[in-house]
Amino acid sequence: MLQLGEQFAPIAQRMADELQTVQAIFADELRSDLPCVNELADHLEQYRGKMLRPTLVLLSGLAVAPDSQLTDEHHRIAAVVEMVHMATLVHDDILDEQDVRRRTATINHLRGNEAAVMLGDYLISHAYHLCSSLNSQTAARLIADATNVVCEGELLQLANRNNWDLDEETYFEIIRRKTASLCGVSCKLGAHLADVDPDITDQLYKYGELLGSAFQIIDDVLDLTGDPEIVGKSLGKDLEKGKLTLPLIHRLAQLGANDRRTFVNMIRSNDHEIYSTMGALLCQSDSVVASQHHAEQLVDQAKSQLIDLPDSSAKAMLLAMADAVIDRDF
Amino acid sequence: MLQLGEQFAPIAQRMADELQTVQAIFADELRSDLPCVNELADHLEQYRGKMLRPTLVLLSGLAVAPDSQLTDEHHRIAAVVEMVHMATLVHDDILDEQDVRRRTATINHLRGNEAAVMLGDYLISHAYHLCSSLNSQTAARLIADATNVVCEGELLQLANRNNWDLDEETYFEIIRRKTASLCGVSCKLGAHLADVDPDITDQLYKYGELLGSAFQIIDDVLDLTGDPEIVGKSLGKDLEKGKLTLPLIHRLAQLGANDRRTFVNMIRSNDHEIYSTMGALLCQSDSVVASQHHAEQLVDQAKSQLIDLPDSSAKAMLLAMADAVIDRDF
């Protein structure tokens, strides 16, 4: 999880306990009668990260109705959104042939692209399967709405690979669809399952969506400027794939034609020493600061969505998580 | 569609009309506000084949209640199962490195593996999305059950690649899961939406499952012995990928240790001239006949599931389709 201050220890501990329940549902849902399936699914452990989306489901449920208990449906939806998210991670690691040699330890590297495709499909299928076990057709519809939009975001990103004229508007559209929509629906469903007013569920959606966009901007900044030892994954992946992100778009817009060409050639170099130099140069420019500032603005907007909620430790943690999205180096 | 006799012209024409409605729902569901998504989705046209699974939904609905009309939900579920099936084709092309399917370049060949993965995901997501628009939680649950099993079948197949000791039992388990389960659920949902007795829906499931297994056996025979001009895709792909199918398993079981080694080396040659020779040799052995005979037995069992249904042109067409699954060269 994101790092929060000491004062959040009790609610953070409660979340950790609730997430244990979610993980048990997750593991239970994926278990197959076929040993070869279970063996492959064991590889998913390496993809487990901050559990951001399940945490959003649970905290949203608590924040909108602090006097109620979380239901079993909350835990199941929390497992669903984590499955969907993990499926996107597994499928994101599937690469065109020329990229394969650059990567290590991902499922496609260990077991081949084909196993990674199928394992991702297995996750998606079980996500919908678990979702269809709820008594709420709304949940199924909202999850499928969100996954439609996530796929569109991925396809829009793919269509703009090596597009050096990508503008900020399209970038924001990509991250809104591919990342923010699932965060939004996580919060919305957490609230919806607590049976609150639709205005409140819409505010929670907005909170999650804005937080998700901010989260992705910081992820993109870290891919350029982070310390791989701290971030815990190889960096420069966006550059490798010709994916322009906010700091790059911002920097390119400042350059004249010649410098622009040089900059684009650095991106196209596929050379990680050059990428390190670029990261250092970006840190010296105002492009990283401008990107972080944009993320901060989104976080402020996100937090303002929670203004109508009663005070509670869950609400306080949602507010703190929004700040922690910005204030992180991993 | 599969080729049927003259006497089926009226019901076949009705099916063709109903399938137009299904295709309109299919196209409508996939339409995006993003031009790049629509452009990619246009490639799906090349994957449209016999529309076997939607036909099974519609005919099953008619056959169990010949005096009722098909509902809008039948058409939607028919579109859902076609989307699921098409997603497996798109993702199978990543699995099998298929360069040619239905005589045109595949999506992964044209646009890269990543686009193919994402487009398959987009199809799956929209399948569940459309499914969640029904008033039936049962439909969503049954579809997700089936896709779970389809993924397991694909993973079991993958785990047995280059397993020259693959036995018939495991082969039947693979095809039951990866192919037969979706055919089974297509028939079951067609019946379920016509609101009939659960015994009847179970019989329809069994009919579809048995027909699906027979269909896959014949597909596998055609991959070894078919005429690529007629089948419409490059053949020998199962051999290339070290996938043992029924005729090969049958033949291997007849051979002594030395001949077995020679035979396995022919499979591993990755040489399509050798594959042609193998196909010809298999046709001369009794292994192709035995496989066809097995498929015929499954078709007979499938047909016997329909014994309780009232006579109707839809029932007659289901019976004829079962025969047509065997009696085809494409």
Side-chain angles (χ1 to χ4, degrees):
Chain A
M1 261 201 281
L2 297 165
Q3 280 171 330
L4 303 172
E6 266 296 303
Q7 70 272 34
F8 295 102
I11 180 77
Q13 181 56 51
R14 170 151 183 207
M15 276 303 112
D17 294 342
E18 303 273 8
L19 287 171
Q20 292 276 337
T21 308
V22 173
Q23 293 214 26
I25 294 171
F26 187 100
D28 221 45
E29 173 64 36
L30 291 187
R31 197 161 301 125
S32 168
D33 61 322
L34 297 174
C36 67
V37 172
N38 294 326
E39 198 205 311
L40 194 63
D42 286 345
H43 287 292
L44 292 172
E45 220 23 73
Q46 73 191 63
Y47 284 88
R48 197 173 303 288
K50 305 176 186 70
M51 300 276 279
L52 174 65
R53 292 149 195 84
T55 306
L56 290 174
V57 173
L58 302 173
L59 276 180
S60 297
L62 282 176
V64 299
D67 301 327
S68 306
Q69 291 298 307
L70 291 174
T71 64
D72 179 47
E73 300 206 323
H74 279 104
H75 296 122
R76 274 185 277 167
I77 283 294
V80 166
V81 295
E82 185 66 4
M83 274 179 205
V84 169
H85 171 60
M86 221 179 253
T88 68
L89 293 183
V90 173
H91 278 181
D92 268 352
D93 276 337
I94 290 153
L95 301 163
D96 291 324
E97 216 172 304
Q98 66 270 21
D99 302 313
V100 171
R101 59 181 174 274
R102 301 189 167 277
R103 301 291 280 275
T104 48
T106 56
I107 288 167
N108 71 312
H109 185 81
L110 287 170
R111 308 288 297 258
N113 267 348
E114 309 168 43
V117 171
M118 277 305 134
L119 185 59
D121 290 352
Y122 185 71
L123 276 164
I124 297 171
S125 178
H126 277 277
Y128 293 113
H129 184 259
L130 184 54
C131 196
S132 70
S133 75
L134 267 69
N135 268 330
S136 164
Q137 191 83 337
T138 310
R141 186 82 181 175
L142 286 174
I143 290 288
D145 268 332
T147 55
N148 283 352
V149 172
V150 169
C151 290
E152 287 180 331
E154 297 272 6
L155 288 167
L156 185 58
Q157 179 167 274
L158 202 58
N160 282 288
R161 183 168 294 181
N162 301 321
N163 172 14
W164 316 117
D165 298 318
L166 184 71
D167 55 26
E168 291 193 1
E169 193 188 339
T170 309
Y171 168 78
F172 289 128
E173 195 57 35
I174 289 169
I175 67 171
R176 183 185 70 76
R177 296 197 196 222
K178 81 164 184 165
T179 307
S181 61
L182 189 60
C183 293
V185 87
S186 297
C187 295
K188 181 168 181 164
L189 276 171
H192 171 77
L193 294 173
D195 207 15
V196 294
D197 194 87
D199 282 353
I200 303 284
T201 62
D202 288 347
Q203 285 161 11
L204 265 292
Y205 183 89
K206 207 75 204 143
Y207 161 85
E209 192 185 46
L210 290 158
L211 174 128
S213 284
F215 186 89
Q216 187 61 56
I217 291 171
I218 300 301
D219 242 35
D220 292 345
V221 169
L222 287 172
D223 189 66
L224 293 164
T225 67
D227 178 339
E229 287 296 307
I230 299 173
V231 181
K233 55 186 178 186
S234 66
L235 301 176
K237 287 184 298 187
D238 296 335
L239 293 168
E240 257 178 28
K241 290 204 158 200
K243 276 162 60 178
L244 287 195
T245 54
L246 192 53
L248 298 166
I249 296 167
H250 186 272
R251 187 69 191 129
L252 277 166
Q254 293 174 327
L255 299 176
N258 278 345
D259 287 344
R260 227 181 115 79
R261 237 188 322 274
T262 308
F263 197 81
V264 167
N265 283 335
M266 289 172 83
I267 299 175
R268 297 169 73 173
S269 69
N270 245 325
D271 177 329
H272 276 257
E273 278 192 42
I274 293 178
Y275 288 171
S276 288
T277 313
M278 282 182 76
L281 287 170
L282 281 168
C283 285
Q284 285 162 31
S285 78
D286 61 347
S287 297
V288 164
V289 171
S291 302
Q292 282 166 332
H293 182 65
H294 192 95
E296 280 161 24
Q297 285 180 312
L298 294 176
V299 160
D300 284 342
Q301 289 172 41
K303 285 156 71 179
S304 75
Q305 301 298 318
L306 306 184
I307 205 155
D308 292 337
L309 295 186
D311 283 338
S312 70
S313 59
K315 176 181 172 176
M317 187 163 164
L318 283 175
L319 293 169
M321 274 177 68
D323 289 326
V325 157
I326 303 291
D327 192 21
R328 64 186 172 113
D329 49 13
F330 70 98
Chain B
M1 258 203 282
L2 296 166
Q3 280 171 329
L4 303 173
E6 267 296 305
Q7 70 273 35
F8 295 103
I11 180 77
Q13 182 55 50
R14 170 152 183 208
M15 276 303 111
D17 294 342
E18 303 273 6
L19 288 171
Q20 292 277 338
T21 308
V22 173
Q23 293 215 25
I25 294 170
F26 187 100
D28 221 46
E29 173 64 35
L30 290 188
R31 196 162 299 124
S32 168
D33 62 322
L34 297 174
C36 67
V37 173
N38 294 327
E39 197 204 313
L40 194 63
D42 285 345
H43 286 293
L44 292 173
E45 219 24 72
Q46 73 192 61
Y47 285 87
R48 198 173 302 290
K50 305 177 187 72
M51 300 276 281
L52 173 67
R53 290 147 196 86
T55 306
L56 290 175
V57 173
L58 303 174
L59 276 180
S60 297
L62 282 176
V64 298
D67 300 326
S68 307
Q69 290 297 307
L70 291 175
T71 65
D72 179 46
E73 300 207 322
H74 279 105
H75 296 122
R76 275 186 276 166
I77 284 293
V80 166
V81 295
E82 185 65 5
M83 274 178 205
V84 170
H85 171 59
M86 221 180 253
T88 67
L89 293 183
V90 173
H91 280 182
D92 265 356
D93 278 339
I94 295 157
L95 301 188
D96 293 349
E97 287 161 18
Q98 277 270 34
D99 287 333
V100 181
R101 186 185 286 276
R102 303 200 207 296
R103 299 191 192 90
T104 36
T106 60
I107 289 165
N108 71 317
H109 187 77
L110 284 172
R111 308 286 297 258
N113 264 347
E114 298 173 73
V117 171
M118 284 306 143
L119 184 59
D121 289 352
Y122 185 72
L123 276 164
I124 297 171
S125 178
H126 277 275
Y128 292 114
H129 184 259
L130 184 55
C131 196
S132 71
S133 74
L134 266 70
N135 268 330
S136 164
Q137 192 83 336
T138 309
R141 186 82 183 174
L142 287 174
I143 290 290
D145 268 332
T147 56
N148 284 352
V149 173
V150 169
C151 290
E152 288 179 330
E154 297 272 8
L155 288 167
L156 184 58
Q157 179 168 273
L158 202 59
N160 281 288
R161 185 168 292 179
N162 301 321
N163 172 13
W164 315 118
D165 297 319
L166 184 71
D167 55 27
E168 291 193 1
E169 193 186 340
T170 309
Y171 167 80
F172 290 128
E173 194 57 34
I174 290 169
I175 66 170
R176 182 185 71 77
R177 298 200 195 218
K178 78 163 187 169
T179 307
S181 61
L182 189 59
C183 294
V185 87
S186 297
C187 295
K188 180 169 181 163
L189 276 171
H192 171 77
L193 294 172
D195 208 16
V196 294
D197 194 87
D199 282 353
I200 302 286
T201 63
D202 288 347
Q203 284 161 9
L204 265 294
Y205 183 89
K206 210 72 205 145
Y207 161 85
E209 192 185 47
L210 290 159
L211 174 128
S213 285
F215 187 88
Q216 187 61 56
I217 291 171
I218 300 300
D219 243 34
D220 292 345
V221 168
L222 287 172
D223 189 66
L224 293 165
T225 66
D227 178 341
E229 287 298 307
I230 299 173
V231 181
K233 56 185 178 187
S234 66
L235 302 177
K237 286 291 168 183
D238 294 335
L239 294 169
E240 256 178 29
K241 280 283 163 181
K243 276 162 60 178
L244 287 195
T245 53
L246 191 54
L248 297 165
I249 296 167
H250 187 272
R251 187 68 191 130
L252 277 165
Q254 293 174 328
L255 300 176
N258 278 345
D259 287 342
R260 225 180 117 79
R261 239 187 321 272
T262 308
F263 197 81
V264 167
N265 283 335
M266 289 173 83
I267 299 176
R268 297 169 74 173
S269 69
N270 243 324
D271 178 329
H272 277 258
E273 276 192 44
I274 292 178
Y275 289 172
S276 288
T277 313
M278 282 181 77
L281 287 171
L282 281 168
C283 284
Q284 284 161 29
S285 78
D286 62 347
S287 296
V288 165
V289 171
S291 302
Q292 283 165 331
H293 180 66
H294 193 96
E296 280 161 25
Q297 284 180 312
L298 293 176
V299 160
D300 285 341
Q301 288 171 42
K303 286 157 71 180
S304 74
Q305 301 297 317
L306 306 183
I307 204 156
D308 292 338
L309 296 186
D311 283 338
S312 71
S313 59
K315 175 180 172 177
M317 187 163 163
L318 283 175
L319 294 169
M321 275 176 69
D323 288 326
V325 157
I326 303 290
D327 192 22
R328 65 188 172 112
D329 49 13
F330 69 98

